Structure formats: C-alpha cells, structure tokens
Amino acid sequence: MPLTATISPGASISLVANELLHAAERTSVANARQLDDLAALLTDADRVFVMGAGRSGLALRMTAMRLMHLGLDVHVVGDTTTPAIAAGDVLLTASGSGTTESIVRAATRASEIGARVGVITTAESSPLSDLADVRVRVPAAQKLDRSAEASAQYAGGLFEQIVVVIGDGLFHALWQRQGSSADELWPRHANLE
C-alpha cells in the first residue's frame, strides 16, 4: 500500500516527545494530590503488586523494578513466583479504558481481600476507576480512539509512555524522600544479567 504522506523518523520522534512532554505536564498538574496519595499508598503497603495488559503491563514492569530498587517488596501479577495478595498490600494497575476484564477482576478480588488499589487510566469513570483507592487520570487517547484528537500516535501509545513517566516520577520522589544514595540502591540491581 503506497503512503500518501511521509514523515521522517526524526520528525516522528519530535512529535512523540512533544506529546509526551505536554501530557506529562497536564497529568502532574491535574493529579498533584492523587500522585502524592499514590506515593503514600506505595510506601505504606506491606507489598506492592503491579498489573497491566499489553504495553501498559510492560510499562508497569519498569515501575516494579524501580520500586524494588528502593527496597519495596514488589511482585508482577502473572509471574509464577507471585504470592497471594492480602490486606495491607497494594495492587497498582494501568488500563487506559479502565475496562480490561482481567485487571478489573484482579482489582475486585484485591478490594474484597482488603488490599488497596491504585489506578492509572484515561477514563474519568470506569469499572476499574470505581474500585480505586487512588486514581490518576492521564489526558491521552484510549487504544480504540483513532480520532487523533488526543494524540497523533497509534493505539494508546501516549498513555503507555505516560505510565512509564508516572512510574519513574514516583520512583524519583520516593528515592529523594528516602534519602538513599545511588550507591545504596545499586546492590539491589540485577546481577545475573
């Protein structure tokens, strides 16, 4: 299929970077209290479980690694070594639509058990948002939004990028509050690579 218009890779990178910058700024301003609440939720948790589907799940795996570097007890839902969630734990989720069935089921179960639920989503209201103890709303397109109004990127790309930025931002804030040096965190870094 011939392309009707072309854009260089460099111009595409600039487009993605600009969208990410603007969405990150809007997210941090509109959700300042919620981000503080999410940071507190994570630090007060006995254990942190992360869950997302597809690329959102991959983004949360990055957050799980960074939280582990801080010394938190972190598990990725679906890994064979993930234990049962319990009261006192936190389930951190990411779902643009807030309707991903497996994530809604897991959040429902976590809530029933007495665990708290953190949600990163684009949806003002959704089944997942209804289960949230803390909800961070990202101003980005859902993966089925092909209008290019919220983002020129394909299938929720901007949302997934913001999930990474939120995770890294939470890590950085918690690291600074902890007062640990990079050298103190380093021994927790993977050494079997």
Side-chain angles (χ1 to χ4, degrees), residues 127-151:
L128 187 58
S129 291
D130 292 344
L131 295 163
D133 291 285
V134 177
R135 176 182 55 90
V136 175
R137 186 184 170 279
V138 175
Q142 295 179 17
K143 75 178 163 190
L144 297 179
D145 179 356
R146 295 184 184 92
S147 68
E149 289 178 25
S151 173

Short mmCIF file of all heavy atoms in Angstrom, two decimals, residues 127-151:
data_model
loop_
_atom_site.label_atom_id
_atom_site.label_comp_id
_atom_site.label_asym_id
_atom_site.label_seq_id
_atom_site.Cartn_x
_atom_site.Cartn_y
_atom_site.Cartn_z
N PRO A 127 -15.30 0.79 35.37
CA PRO A 127 -15.33 -0.22 36.43
C PRO A 127 -14.04 -0.23 37.26
O PRO A 127 -14.10 -0.38 38.49
CB PRO A 127 -15.53 -1.52 35.67
CG PRO A 127 -16.19 -1.14 34.39
CD PRO A 127 -15.63 0.22 34.05
N LEU A 128 -12.90 -0.04 36.62
CA LEU A 128 -11.63 -0.04 37.36
C LEU A 128 -11.52 1.21 38.23
O LEU A 128 -11.12 1.13 39.40
CB LEU A 128 -10.45 -0.14 36.39
CG LEU A 128 -9.08 -0.32 37.03
CD1 LEU A 128 -9.02 -1.57 37.90
CD2 LEU A 128 -8.00 -0.37 35.95
N SER A 129 -11.88 2.36 37.68
CA SER A 129 -11.84 3.60 38.47
C SER A 129 -12.73 3.52 39.70
O SER A 129 -12.40 4.05 40.76
CB SER A 129 -12.27 4.79 37.61
OG SER A 129 -11.30 5.07 36.63
N ASP A 130 -13.86 2.83 39.56
CA ASP A 130 -14.78 2.68 40.69
C ASP A 130 -14.16 1.88 41.84
O ASP A 130 -14.58 2.01 42.98
CB ASP A 130 -16.08 2.00 40.25
CG ASP A 130 -16.91 2.87 39.31
OD1 ASP A 130 -16.65 4.10 39.24
OD2 ASP A 130 -17.81 2.32 38.65
N LEU A 131 -13.17 1.06 41.54
CA LEU A 131 -12.52 0.22 42.56
C LEU A 131 -11.29 0.90 43.17
O LEU A 131 -10.70 0.39 44.12
CB LEU A 131 -12.09 -1.12 41.94
CG LEU A 131 -13.23 -2.01 41.47
CD1 LEU A 131 -12.72 -3.08 40.52
CD2 LEU A 131 -13.92 -2.64 42.68
N ALA A 132 -10.92 2.05 42.64
CA ALA A 132 -9.66 2.70 43.02
C ALA A 132 -9.72 3.36 44.39
O ALA A 132 -10.67 4.06 44.71
CB ALA A 132 -9.28 3.74 41.98
N ASP A 133 -8.69 3.14 45.17
CA ASP A 133 -8.45 3.95 46.36
C ASP A 133 -7.80 5.25 45.92
O ASP A 133 -8.03 6.30 46.53
CB ASP A 133 -7.55 3.20 47.34
CG ASP A 133 -8.27 2.02 47.96
OD1 ASP A 133 -9.13 2.23 48.83
OD2 ASP A 133 -8.00 0.87 47.53
N VAL A 134 -6.96 5.17 44.89
CA VAL A 134 -6.33 6.34 44.28
C VAL A 134 -6.39 6.16 42.77
O VAL A 134 -6.02 5.10 42.26
CB VAL A 134 -4.86 6.51 44.72
CG1 VAL A 134 -4.22 7.69 44.02
CG2 VAL A 134 -4.75 6.65 46.23
N ARG A 135 -6.87 7.20 42.07
CA ARG A 135 -6.94 7.14 40.61
C ARG A 135 -6.20 8.33 40.03
O ARG A 135 -6.44 9.48 40.41
CB ARG A 135 -8.39 7.19 40.13
CG ARG A 135 -8.51 7.22 38.60
CD ARG A 135 -9.94 7.30 38.12
NE ARG A 135 -10.70 8.41 38.65
CZ ARG A 135 -10.79 9.62 38.07
NH1 ARG A 135 -10.15 9.88 36.96
NH2 ARG A 135 -11.52 10.56 38.63
N VAL A 136 -5.29 8.05 39.09
CA VAL A 136 -4.58 9.09 38.35
C VAL A 136 -5.10 9.04 36.92
O VAL A 136 -4.98 8.02 36.25
CB VAL A 136 -3.05 8.85 38.38
CG1 VAL A 136 -2.33 9.86 37.50
CG2 VAL A 136 -2.53 8.91 39.82
N ARG A 137 -5.70 10.15 36.49
CA ARG A 137 -6.25 10.21 35.14
C ARG A 137 -5.25 10.88 34.21
O ARG A 137 -4.78 11.99 34.46
CB ARG A 137 -7.56 10.98 35.11
CG ARG A 137 -8.19 10.90 33.73
CD ARG A 137 -9.45 11.72 33.59
NE ARG A 137 -9.84 11.79 32.21
CZ ARG A 137 -9.31 12.62 31.32
NH1 ARG A 137 -8.37 13.46 31.67
NH2 ARG A 137 -9.73 12.61 30.07
N VAL A 138 -4.94 10.19 33.12
CA VAL A 138 -3.98 10.65 32.12
C VAL A 138 -4.75 11.23 30.93
O VAL A 138 -5.63 10.57 30.39
CB VAL A 138 -3.09 9.47 31.66
CG1 VAL A 138 -2.17 9.89 30.53
CG2 VAL A 138 -2.30 8.91 32.84
N PRO A 139 -4.42 12.44 30.48
CA PRO A 139 -5.09 13.03 29.33
C PRO A 139 -4.50 12.51 28.02
O PRO A 139 -3.71 13.17 27.35
CB PRO A 139 -4.83 14.53 29.50
CG PRO A 139 -3.50 14.59 30.18
CD PRO A 139 -3.47 13.38 31.09
N ALA A 140 -4.86 11.29 27.68
CA ALA A 140 -4.35 10.65 26.46
C ALA A 140 -5.46 9.82 25.84
O ALA A 140 -6.46 9.52 26.49
CB ALA A 140 -3.15 9.76 26.80
N ALA A 141 -5.27 9.45 24.60
CA ALA A 141 -6.26 8.64 23.90
C ALA A 141 -6.24 7.21 24.40
O ALA A 141 -5.19 6.67 24.75
CB ALA A 141 -5.96 8.64 22.40
N GLN A 142 -7.42 6.59 24.44
CA GLN A 142 -7.51 5.16 24.69
C GLN A 142 -7.11 4.44 23.41
O GLN A 142 -7.11 5.02 22.32
CB GLN A 142 -8.92 4.77 25.11
CG GLN A 142 -9.33 5.38 26.42
CD GLN A 142 -10.74 4.99 26.81
OE1 GLN A 142 -11.32 4.06 26.28
NE2 GLN A 142 -11.31 5.74 27.75
N LYS A 143 -6.78 3.15 23.52
CA LYS A 143 -6.25 2.45 22.36
C LYS A 143 -7.25 2.33 21.21
O LYS A 143 -6.85 2.21 20.07
CB LYS A 143 -5.69 1.09 22.74
CG LYS A 143 -6.71 0.02 23.03
CD LYS A 143 -6.01 -1.28 23.33
CE LYS A 143 -6.97 -2.22 24.02
NZ LYS A 143 -6.31 -3.38 24.53
N LEU A 144 -8.54 2.39 21.49
CA LEU A 144 -9.53 2.30 20.41
C LEU A 144 -9.91 3.67 19.84
O LEU A 144 -10.68 3.75 18.89
CB LEU A 144 -10.78 1.57 20.90
CG LEU A 144 -10.55 0.11 21.30
CD1 LEU A 144 -11.85 -0.52 21.79
CD2 LEU A 144 -9.95 -0.70 20.16
N ASP A 145 -9.34 4.74 20.39
CA ASP A 145 -9.60 6.10 19.88
C ASP A 145 -8.67 6.35 18.71
O ASP A 145 -7.47 6.52 18.87
CB ASP A 145 -9.35 7.12 20.99
CG ASP A 145 -9.57 8.56 20.54
OD1 ASP A 145 -9.84 8.79 19.34
OD2 ASP A 145 -9.47 9.45 21.40
N ARG A 146 -9.24 6.38 17.52
CA ARG A 146 -8.44 6.59 16.31
C ARG A 146 -8.68 7.98 15.72
O ARG A 146 -8.37 8.24 14.58
CB ARG A 146 -8.75 5.50 15.30
CG ARG A 146 -8.32 4.13 15.81
CD ARG A 146 -8.54 3.05 14.77
NE ARG A 146 -8.20 1.76 15.34
CZ ARG A 146 -9.08 0.96 15.95
NH1 ARG A 146 -10.34 1.31 16.04
NH2 ARG A 146 -8.70 -0.20 16.43
N SER A 147 -9.24 8.88 16.52
CA SER A 147 -9.61 10.21 16.03
C SER A 147 -8.40 11.13 15.88
O SER A 147 -8.48 12.12 15.18
CB SER A 147 -10.60 10.86 16.99
OG SER A 147 -9.97 11.17 18.23
N ALA A 148 -7.29 10.83 16.54
CA ALA A 148 -6.08 11.66 16.55
C ALA A 148 -6.31 13.00 17.24
O ALA A 148 -5.49 13.90 17.13
CB ALA A 148 -5.51 11.85 15.14
N GLU A 149 -7.41 13.13 17.99
CA GLU A 149 -7.65 14.38 18.72
C GLU A 149 -6.77 14.48 19.96
O GLU A 149 -6.19 15.52 20.23
CB GLU A 149 -9.12 14.49 19.10
CG GLU A 149 -10.03 14.75 17.92
CD GLU A 149 -11.50 14.81 18.30
OE1 GLU A 149 -11.79 15.12 19.47
OE2 GLU A 149 -12.33 14.53 17.43
N ALA A 150 -6.69 13.42 20.74
CA ALA A 150 -5.88 13.44 21.96
C ALA A 150 -4.42 13.15 21.68
O ALA A 150 -3.54 13.57 22.42
CB ALA A 150 -6.42 12.43 22.97
N SER A 151 -4.15 12.41 20.60
CA SER A 151 -2.78 12.05 20.26
C SER A 151 -2.72 11.61 18.80
O SER A 151 -3.62 10.91 18.32
CB SER A 151 -2.30 10.89 21.15
OG SER A 151 -1.04 10.42 20.73
#
